[in-house]
Amino acid sequence: MNAKTKPPVAKTAETVEMGSGNVFADLGLPDADERHLRVQLATRLNDLLKAEGLTQAAAAKRLGIAQPHVSELKNYKLGRFSSERLLHYITLMNRDVEIFIRPRAALSLAGVATGAVTVWAAA
């Protein structure tokens, strides 16, 4: 084989599975629902920090935490942050948090009734 020819590439069939909407559950990780909730809350909190144009040092002061912890938050290294703690930080950003409980909307793709936690932010 010379430098200009490439070996033939074997074609394989790939299947794609529809995700559940929770990558942590799809990966079989423990506490998947809690992890998913913390990512949703951290996303909203990071959006608020960005919208206010806060530096990591200013965000640390506002949230009452060390700057390296803000870096972890911004990089979604959420091991040290509980959902309650993230909710508290959101309130420190001058936001109210409401928890709304309603009947389940629908069955999952597998036909099983599962609950869901969704975080959304008002403008």
Side-chain angles (χ1 to χ4, degrees):
M1 204 180 298
N2 64 37
K4 291 185 178 182
T5 61
K6 295 181 182 179
V9 177
K11 302 240 180 193
T12 59
E14 293 185 25
T15 59
V16 177
E17 292 182 34
M18 179 68 103
S20 69
N22 181 342
V23 68
F24 303 107
D26 294 343
L27 293 172
L29 296 176
D31 302 323
D33 290 335
E34 172 64 17
R35 290 173 191 242
H36 185 67
L37 174 60
R38 284 187 290 144
V39 168
Q40 290 180 81
L41 293 170
T43 299
R44 299 302 177 255
L45 181 55
N46 281 326
D47 290 346
L48 293 170
L49 293 170
K50 183 178 179 182
E52 293 210 13
L54 297 176
T55 64
Q56 287 190 13
K61 185 174 181 178
R62 178 94 165 259
L63 301 177
I65 59 177
Q67 179 277 322
H69 297 178
V70 174
S71 178
E72 290 175 359
L73 176 65
K74 288 180 132 326
N75 289 295
Y76 295 91
K77 295 179 182 176
L78 303 176
R80 76 172 60 250
F81 302 102
S82 67
S83 54
E84 292 84 2
R85 193 171 178 193
L86 294 167
L87 287 166
H88 174 67
Y89 295 155
I90 290 170
T91 66
L92 292 175
M93 296 298 296
N94 296 319
R95 296 300 190 274
D96 291 330
V97 175
E98 293 182 15
I99 297 174
F100 181 75
I101 300 171
R102 62 175 169 80
R104 272 192 194 127
L107 297 178
S108 71
L109 294 175
V112 178
T114 59
V117 175
T118 304
V119 176
W120 61 275

